[in-house]
Amino acid sequence: MLFRRFAKFTLPKLPFTDNSLEPIYDKKTISFHWGKHHQTYVDKLNQAVGENDYTLLDIIQNQSQNSLPLRNHGGGHYNHCLFWLCLGSNSSEQPSGKLLAHIQKQWGDFSKFKNEFNQAAINTFGSGWAWLSVNPEGKLVISSSQNQDNPLMKGIFKANAVPFFTIDVWEHAYYLQYQNKRPEFVDKFWKVVNWKQVEDMYEKYALQQRPVPVDKILG
Amino acid sequence: MSLTDLPYPVDFLSEVLPERIVQIHHDNHHKGYLTKLNEFIDKNMKYNATYLKDLVKGAWGHVGLERYAGGLYNHYLYWWTLTASNCTNGAPIGKLLTDIISKWGTFEVFQSRFDDLAKVTFGNGWTWLCVDKTGLQLLNSYYQLSPLMNTGDNICYPVLGIDLWEHSYYLKYTSDRDAYISDFWKIVDWDIVEYFYEKYASELTAVPF
């Protein structure tokens, strides 16, 4: 080969400036989390993909059960993209509109939902994520996963659903600022959620049972 | 049970692991496993008055024991097999060295194999030097699992382990886990590791934490 194959996946730009989530989520953590950890997932994903022409959604939904590198690094790339999309300054601390109504219908009130989500995040043993998804029956479901697994992964996640809201509870996501105090990180996370974006992903994708094309949205 | 203090001052490992990392790791993470194990035993009194090493050996298939007895034991082994960088020769000198060379050819090759295993660990886990009925082995485990939990003939008695959970190194090394793995060798207390090897593991017995 006279030329190198163009790398398929790239690290997207953050949809917020790296200091705009301070003091909850500081610039140093964001720059390591995005610039080192997420970048490494992208690099290793490209190595694992090789010459194959997979889309990120295909990797997450289908290829992940056939290949551990695709599961780990494809998951890492997808999950971090979704996480960045969920974050922003000027958080309203809870959603409005259809998503709020849906949450209230299922949990009675927002704080009951928030507590259940927090418990899922706090009680994940080791590295993982907590998720809010819409299942094929149209219900909102809270779940958690280990490592870089994702509710879209067929054959890996028992009951697939379309996630649109997530929190990263790998230690690297919070250790510089919070150390072992994961509950404090989880509690403060709600102050930096970009509900407008989350509601958009819920209405346009999750409710329609279409996986959120996180890499395309971030561009 | 209460948590045993570190066998050295909290800044003793500071050439590789700063005081802050060691203090939080011991007083928060390690202690957390003790707290959770005590809670678990309170609800499962049949495990009361069992030695920790035996709780670990019998842990397979019992999530509470795998996590909390495993976590408690693994961290004791970790602290006890580390020392200040100027208090170690950097390699074993007796039977352990002979047996490492017999298995891997050179001490450097052994270290390189250990490093390779550590580097491919995805997420949380440990890399171990342990002894089974065929001799020395290098194994990985995930979460707080231990080769002591392996059943039947697969049980392997650890004498040295590196903690690869991010809390072990993140405040100094951040994303550069490979640098932590490389520096880890500077603080391994080979005197203690050899002692554990000769007195316990070679006899196919667990170090009695």
Side-chain angles (χ1 to χ4, degrees):
Chain A
M1 292 281 269
L2 290 174
F3 52 88
R4 286 179 62 193
R5 187 179 169 279
F6 187 72
K8 190 176 173 59
F9 298 104
T10 55
L11 183 68
K13 280 201 170 57
L14 287 170
F16 49 83
T17 55
D18 58 8
N19 60 353
S20 60
L21 307 183
E22 303 239 5
I24 305 284
Y25 213 20
D26 70 9
K27 177 176 169 165
K28 188 175 179 194
T29 302
I30 298 278
S31 76
F32 275 109
H33 199 174
W34 171 77
K36 301 279 183 194
H37 291 277
H38 191 173
Q39 178 72 72
T40 301
Y41 283 117
V42 170
D43 294 343
K44 292 197 173 182
L45 176 59
N46 283 326
Q47 280 170 24
V49 165
E51 297 296 316
N52 294 299
D53 200 22
Y54 302 135
T55 63
L56 185 57
L57 288 182
D58 182 35
I59 289 169
I60 297 301
Q61 290 187 281
N62 306 311
Q63 306 302 332
S64 53
Q65 61 185 307
N66 303 324
S67 154
L68 193 55
L70 288 180
R71 173 179 176 176
N72 288 340
H73 305 303
H77 180 34
Y78 185 97
N79 298 344
H80 285 88
C81 287
L82 183 62
F83 186 51
W84 307 135
L85 284 167
C86 291
L87 294 173
S89 49
N90 303 316
S91 171
S92 51
E93 295 216 36
Q94 65 179 53
S96 53
K98 261 178 119 165
L99 177 56
L100 181 63
H102 198 167
I103 287 172
Q104 287 169 332
K105 181 166 173 234
Q106 281 192 222
W107 278 276
D109 63 52
F110 185 77
S111 62
K112 287 205 180 88
F113 152 74
K114 187 175 161 182
N115 281 339
E116 191 180 313
F117 186 92
N118 284 351
Q119 288 312 306
I122 290 164
N123 294 331
T124 300
F125 187 72
S127 305
W129 299 73
W131 305 96
L132 180 62
S133 312
V134 179
N135 74 6
E137 288 76 48
K139 280 193 75 174
L140 288 169
V141 289
I142 293 173
S143 61
S144 59
S145 65
Q146 303 290 154
N147 292 339
Q148 296 296 346
D149 290 349
N150 175 300
L152 288 167
M153 291 178 174
K154 293 175 193 165
I156 290 168
F157 230 78
K158 262 185 284 204
N160 294 120
V162 178
F164 62 95
F165 177 61
T166 189
I167 182 173
D168 186 350
V169 288
W170 280 62
E171 286 172 329
H172 65 243
Y174 57 88
Y175 211 81
L176 291 177
Q177 278 183 273
Y178 297 92
Q179 295 86 55
N180 60 297
K181 298 181 284 247
R182 186 194 281 183
E184 188 181 331
F185 166 65
V186 170
D187 186 54
K188 291 193 169 158
F189 159 77
W190 298 91
K191 296 189 190 321
V192 289
V193 173
N194 181 349
W195 285 113
K196 190 163 174 303
Q197 178 66 55
V198 172
E199 286 166 43
D200 204 53
M201 295 189 288
Y202 159 76
E203 291 189 35
K204 281 204 179 98
Y205 298 100
L207 270 186
Q208 326 299 333
Q209 287 295 283
R210 288 167 52 207
V212 183
V214 292
D215 53 340
K216 304 278 185 286
I217 297 174
L218 282 169
Chain B
M1 270 189 260
S2 58
L3 191 70
T4 310
D5 288 342
L6 288 166
Y8 35 69
V10 72
D11 62 351
F12 203 58
L13 311 176
S14 59
E15 199 201 311
V16 174
L17 295 175
E19 176 175 337
R20 192 160 173 245
I21 287 185
V22 173
Q23 182 254 310
I24 296 171
H25 199 172
H26 179 264
D27 295 352
N28 296 100
H29 293 276
H30 190 182
K31 186 157 181 210
Y33 286 114
L34 173 67
T35 305
K36 295 266 186 179
L37 181 61
N38 282 336
E39 285 169 11
F40 178 81
I41 292 177
D42 283 345
K43 295 186 190 132
N44 296 275
M45 286 304 283
K46 65 179 177 178
Y47 296 116
N48 202 25
T50 307
Y51 287 113
L52 176 60
K53 65 178 174 69
D54 295 319
L55 287 176
V56 175
K57 283 176 80 176
W60 187 253
H62 305 282
V63 172
L65 291 179
E66 286 175 351
R67 291 181 176 181
Y68 309 129
L72 186 61
Y73 186 96
N74 294 342
H75 286 86
Y76 278 134
L77 185 67
Y78 184 68
W79 301 126
W80 259 255
T81 53
L82 298 178
T83 190
S85 55
N86 59 0
C87 290
T88 172
N89 295 320
I93 55 176
K95 188 169 184 302
L96 178 56
L97 181 64
T98 309
D99 292 347
I100 282 175
I101 289 170
S102 173
K103 171 107 187 184
W104 284 287
T106 68
F107 183 68
E108 289 71 29
V109 168
F110 149 72
Q111 286 182 302
S112 179
R113 295 280 173 272
F114 184 103
D115 288 355
D116 288 345
L117 269 186
K119 285 174 185 175
V120 299
T121 303
F122 188 77
N124 307 107
W126 295 72
T127 297
W128 305 101
L129 174 63
C130 57
V131 182
D132 70 11
K133 63 181 181 31
T134 67
L136 285 167
Q137 303 296 342
L138 284 175
L139 293 178
N140 271 353
S141 68
Y142 288 93
Y143 304 110
Q144 295 297 346
L145 297 173
S146 161
L148 266 186
M149 298 173 188
N150 293 354
T151 51
D153 286 344
N154 294 319
I155 188 168
C156 203
Y157 295 86
V159 294
L160 176 67
I162 182 172
D163 187 347
L164 297 164
W165 286 59
E166 287 173 323
H167 62 243
S168 309
Y169 61 86
Y170 207 80
L171 293 179
K172 174 180 171 181
Y173 293 92
T174 59
S175 52
D176 196 356
R177 190 173 72 173
D178 287 1
Y180 160 65
I181 292 166
S182 175
D183 284 350
F184 171 75
W185 296 111
K186 296 179 187 166
I187 52 172
V188 172
D189 186 344
W190 287 109
D191 287 346
I192 295 267
V193 175
E194 288 202 80
Y195 174 73
F196 286 163
Y197 178 66
E198 291 186 29
K199 188 161 169 82
Y200 298 107
S202 291
E203 307 295 321
L204 300 182
T205 306
V207 179
F209 290 114

